[in-house]
Amino acid sequence: MAEKKPLKITETILRDAHQSLIATRMTTEQMLPIIDKMDQVGYHAVECWGGATFDASLRFLKEDPWERLRKLRAGFKNTKLQMLFRGQNILGYNHYADDVVEYFVQKSIANGIDIIRIFDCLNDLRNLKTAVNAANKENGHAQVALSYTLGDAYTLDYWKEMAKQIEDMGAKSLCIKDMAGLLVPAKATELVQALKESVEIPIDLHTHYTSGVASMTYMKAVEAGCDIIDTAISPFSMGTSQPATEVMVEAFKGTEYDTGLDQNKLAEIADYFRPMREEALASGLMNTKVLGVNIQTLRYQVPGGMLSNLVSQLKEMGQEDKYEQVLEEVPRVRKDFGEPPLVTPSSQIVGTQAVLNVVSGERYKMVTKESKKLLSGEFGQTVKPFDKEVQKKCLGDDVEVITCRPADLIKPQLAEIEKEMAQYKQQDEDVLSYALFPQVATEFFKYREAQQNKVDAAAADTENKAYPV
Ligand code: CO
């Protein structure tokens, strides 16, 4: 047998898998009973924080995301914890000042994160620099992710050049982030080979099963030298999530890439999550639509999550019959907007604009605030120039377009934010929750206070009963 090159596995069940399949609704209580078992598996890392989990914890689950992270850290004694971080957007949808980005990275690492996967929706590397530097300063592992997409501009030379710059920037590893499942097996071979020629740092491939090719893509990528793959334990795998962990472990068993992971332990973990899947299917939280193969994603290069967003936007407007038209409009808007990858937040911006272009009956008759921002350069630089006519129609004649790194124009924000929310602050991290989601965080802080008062009242009540006066 050839020289051993054990493949590393990053488990996504606690972040991407439930974000992709059950709208990020898994609670900390649902996670905790199994993490001791997960900690014994020998995963390269467990992705468990960031992405949409932060917003969803505060907004829907009424949980403090920082408290979740501390509990996970306490349970995972041997396993690296990974989070997903949207560059200068952090975990929100706008650009923040450097001081907020730096403080967020510092607190994420202080509370237990080992690996920070950092990406930008336009692949504008200037938007990643502050976060990468901050992670390195805190002795964290900065992994930079390239948002994978298709289009004339996205040649192998483009990806190689980007990878080189990422390595030079100080990233400890590189991720190919294929959020829509667009990377087909033969292209994975080419891409991984090209990147391996370009950089020394380990390469991680992250894909989704949306278009049905993901496990074949992993096979080819690993054979081409990919070091790490992202998988989800079987009850929360496939569909818009990742390939199943057990399947990939089995597929490479006995080969030079043997992961060495124990199927018995994985089976116990799967047994734990299976009832949660059944429950989610019964309640409708997990929709069978996200579980099948969606070939539209290859036709229109639209990520799975974006497809379901488009359906619900059209439903709200009572215009569901326009679905096909909107799907055809998405690639056109994407071209007008400089052909960006479609990933949060560019996917929402392009998707919403495509809906407006179709339902209003005239392209760019109605233009969202976010579309204007994008066309003004406020999210950074796209790989291709914007369509001049479209830009003019959306912005008018006398709008100034930014060409510098957008955050260079944002003054420090922390001190002001801290002042604004001082009355709610119970821990330093609350400042960051508020910085990203002021309204949602305020509601959460009020809820938290009300709960604490309830507990205090109950405690006082018990005391009164125990020691009648
Ligand atoms: Co993903």
Side-chain angles (χ1 to χ4, degrees):
M1 201 166 77
E3 187 201 345
K4 287 209 165 107
K5 297 175 258 185
L7 170 66
K8 293 175 177 162
I9 300 280
T10 293
E11 170 63 54
T12 66
I13 176 67
L14 303 183
R15 205 286 296 176
D16 204 355
H18 77 100
Q19 180 174 325
S20 298
L21 295 178
I22 56 166
T24 333
R25 295 303 203 276
M26 198 181 289
T27 64
T28 306
E29 287 311 306
Q30 289 177 307
M31 298 174 182
L32 293 181
I34 195 64
I35 62 179
D36 183 49
K37 185 66 64 184
M38 289 178 71
D39 194 34
Q40 298 165 26
V41 168
Y43 293 121
H44 167 67
V46 169
E47 191 195 44
C48 61
W49 209 64
T53 65
F54 195 92
D55 186 358
S57 295
L58 288 169
R59 192 185 300 261
F60 303 115
L61 307 175
K62 297 290 173 224
E63 278 189 25
D64 177 13
W66 300 97
E67 191 58 31
R68 171 183 291 184
L69 176 55
R70 288 189 286 267
K71 285 179 176 167
L72 293 172
R73 180 70 282 169
F76 281 107
K77 296 182 171 62
N78 309 303
T79 310
K80 289 198 170 98
L81 300 185
Q82 182 172 307
M83 74 173 290
L84 181 66
F85 195 101
R86 297 198 273 267
Q88 209 71 24
N89 299 146
I90 311 180
L91 304 175
Y93 309 103
N94 289 304
H95 277 233
Y96 296 94
D98 286 335
D99 65 341
V100 182
V101 175
E102 283 159 1
Y103 195 44
F104 205 103
V105 167
Q106 186 196 325
K107 283 296 180 186
S108 300
I109 292 173
N111 281 284
I113 289 295
D114 299 290
I115 303 172
I116 307 189
R117 174 177 292 170
I118 308 163
F119 76 99
D120 177 62
C121 74
L122 305 182
N123 285 328
D124 183 342
L125 300 183
R126 300 173 306 172
N127 294 336
L128 305 176
K129 239 185 148 77
T130 302
V132 170
N133 289 345
N136 284 336
K137 192 175 152 222
E138 303 294 327
N139 294 315
H141 176 126
Q143 178 184 77
V144 169
L146 286 168
S147 305
Y148 182 75
T149 191
L150 303 171
D152 302 344
Y154 300 97
T155 60
L156 283 179
D157 282 338
Y158 167 84
W159 295 119
K160 278 169 87 165
E161 178 54 32
M162 294 290 279
K164 190 85 213 112
Q165 287 180 38
I166 285 167
E167 188 172 54
D168 292 346
M169 193 191 265
K172 301 270 183 9
S173 59
L174 172 73
C175 173
I176 305 163
K177 180 177 163 59
D178 179 21
M179 52 280 166
L182 299 176
L183 184 59
V184 295
K187 292 286 173 196
T189 303
E190 283 178 15
L191 181 60
V192 172
Q193 276 172 353
L195 295 183
K196 277 280 165 189
E197 279 167 24
S198 182
V199 296
E200 299 280 325
I201 51 178
I203 295 178
D204 185 333
L205 177 56
H206 175 90
T207 190
H208 288 251
Y209 229 120
T210 323
S211 62
V213 299
S215 57
M216 294 181 280
T217 298
Y218 275 167
M219 179 67 80
K220 287 293 187 188
V222 170
E223 286 172 357
C226 175
D227 302 274
I228 309 157
I229 56 171
D230 293 6
T231 64
I233 198 80
S234 55
F236 280 81
S237 69
M238 316 285 284
T240 50
S241 176
Q242 276 78 47
T245 307
E246 304 94 303
V247 175
M248 296 318 301
V249 165
E250 200 62 25
F252 290 107
K253 189 167 265 174
T255 72
E256 63 207 277
Y257 312 107
D258 197 326
T259 63
L261 302 195
D262 179 354
Q263 287 289 12
N264 293 320
K265 288 190 179 126
L266 295 176
E268 285 181 56
I269 296 164
D271 287 345
Y272 175 79
F273 284 106
R274 199 166 296 110
M276 223 180 277
R277 172 195 173 93
E278 298 304 326
E279 206 178 297
L281 279 168
S283 71
L285 180 57
M286 189 187 285
N287 190 320
T288 49
K289 264 190 193 152
V290 302
L291 297 175
V293 169
N294 192 329
I295 217 68
Q296 303 287 46
T297 196
L298 288 182
R299 281 180 69 205
Y300 300 107
Q301 300 164 16
V302 174
M306 190 175 160
L307 288 170
S308 54
N309 275 348
L310 293 178
V311 172
S312 63
Q313 273 178 333
L314 287 169
K315 223 181 218 169
E316 270 170 41
M317 298 173 172
Q319 307 247 17
E320 284 159 276
D321 57 314
K322 303 262 168 58
Y323 183 61
E324 280 292 322
Q325 264 174 279
V326 170
L327 278 182
E328 283 163 20
E329 177 66 4
V330 166
R332 288 196 288 259
V333 173
R334 183 175 165 238
K335 252 208 162 88
D336 295 340
F337 287 9
E339 220 167 352
L342 297 177
V343 61
T344 307
S346 59
S347 51
Q348 286 85 344
I349 299 171
V350 169
T352 304
Q353 191 57 53
V355 167
L356 290 179
N357 284 1
V358 170
V359 300
S360 71
E362 184 191 325
R363 305 189 76 220
Y364 306 107
K365 184 176 165 191
M366 290 160 74
V367 182
T368 65
K369 202 172 74 197
E370 281 71 28
S371 293
K372 285 183 189 169
K373 269 188 172 179
L374 182 79
L375 291 170
S376 311
E378 284 184 45
F379 285 97
Q381 200 173 8
T382 47
V383 60
K384 282 196 161 179
F386 304 125
D387 183 281
K388 285 278 167 255
E389 288 303 308
V390 168
Q391 193 182 26
K392 204 173 151 190
K393 181 159 183 188
C394 294
L395 301 180
D397 288 324
D398 45 34
V399 178
E400 223 176 291
V401 174
I402 300 168
T403 55
C404 66
R405 184 186 75 117
D408 286 340
L409 302 173
I410 309 173
K411 290 196 193 81
Q413 293 170 324
L414 267 181
E416 196 57 41
I417 289 167
E418 191 156 7
K419 231 188 275 165
E420 218 175 286
M421 55 74 67
Q423 56 170 315
Y424 300 114
K425 187 178 157 191
Q426 295 190 2
Q427 56 176 349
D428 290 344
E429 290 80 0
D430 288 343
V431 179
L432 292 163
S433 303
Y434 183 91
L436 265 52
F437 303 103
Q439 276 170 352
V440 173
T442 304
E443 268 171 47
F444 169 74
F445 295 149
K446 286 181 180 161
Y447 168 85
R448 180 174 66 182
E449 223 169 271
Q451 290 301 106
Q452 287 161 346
N453 291 339
K454 248 192 240 169
V455 173
D456 288 349
D461 202 32
T462 326
E463 267 172 45
N464 289 342
K465 275 174 196 149
Y467 306 101
V469 282

